[in-house]
Amino acid sequence: MVDPSHSSRPEKLAAALSALSAQWGWFVALGLVMLILGIVASSYVLSATLVSVLFVGILMLIGGISQLLHAWRIKNWSNFLFWTVAGVLYAGAGLLAIINPMAGASLITLLLGATLIGTGALRLWIWYNNRGQQGWQWLAFSGFITLLAGVVIAIGWPGNSAWLLGLLLALDLMFQGWTLMFLGFALRRQRRQ
């Protein structure tokens, strides 16, 4: 059976793109702002690292306090102790990141390296179990690069903790900036057609 809304999808997409193309300048402006912020962050990677760790610490503290409030509102529930311990740990980690951002950066960097190592190993394992499939060598390549990035981070730890998170933030801001600018220019070209 044919979905009746399927035939109208291209028209809806065209209408949405047409509406967006009128706003192409905002995409370019936002992209330019993000690109500039990325360049500034790349010039001050230590400051960018500290600011990002403080931001994460504040969010974790708010999340931990929220979990504690939730736990104390449902005292008679069987998982009260679990919610309380989780809230205390979350709030404690947030406080650690706020009070000593360098220690927070060190822990987040170590966690990032461990996550990349685990993800890369998992991708390689999935590739190994499905290596007979066509095109799966890209999964092996991805797993190898991810594993290698995690190992490089782990080898450089804790010395890389002061600059790595700031550098990643700077690169992310720059790539998002370029992407939004290119999207804005593509929308402008579409508007002219």
Side-chain angles (χ1 to χ4, degrees), residues 12-130:
K12 287 180 182 179
L13 179 61
L17 285 174
S18 177
L20 277 178
S21 67
Q23 305 296 325
W24 70 269
W26 287 104
F27 284 92
V28 173
L30 177 61
L32 185 60
V33 167
M34 293 186 84
L35 181 61
I36 291 168
L37 289 173
I39 291 169
V40 169
S42 70
S43 299
Y44 301 100
V45 290
L46 176 60
S47 297
T49 295
L50 295 177
V51 167
S52 62
V53 170
L54 284 172
F55 180 72
V56 169
I58 290 168
L59 293 178
M60 289 178 72
L61 180 61
I62 292 169
I65 291 170
S66 299
Q67 276 190 320
L68 286 171
L69 290 173
H70 175 70
W72 286 93
R73 288 188 52 91
I74 56 167
K75 279 191 245 184
N76 55 359
W77 194 41
S78 63
N79 287 333
F80 162 75
L81 184 61
F82 170 76
W83 283 100
T84 301
V85 169
V88 167
L89 290 175
Y90 218 65
L95 275 175
L96 171 70
I98 292 169
I99 293 169
N100 189 349
M102 286 310 297
S106 183
L107 290 174
I108 292 172
T109 302
L110 183 63
L111 181 62
L112 175 64
T115 301
L116 290 173
I117 289 170
T119 302
L122 179 64
R123 286 180 186 163
L124 287 172
W125 181 75
I126 292 171
W127 162 78
Y128 182 78
N129 288 326
N130 296 287

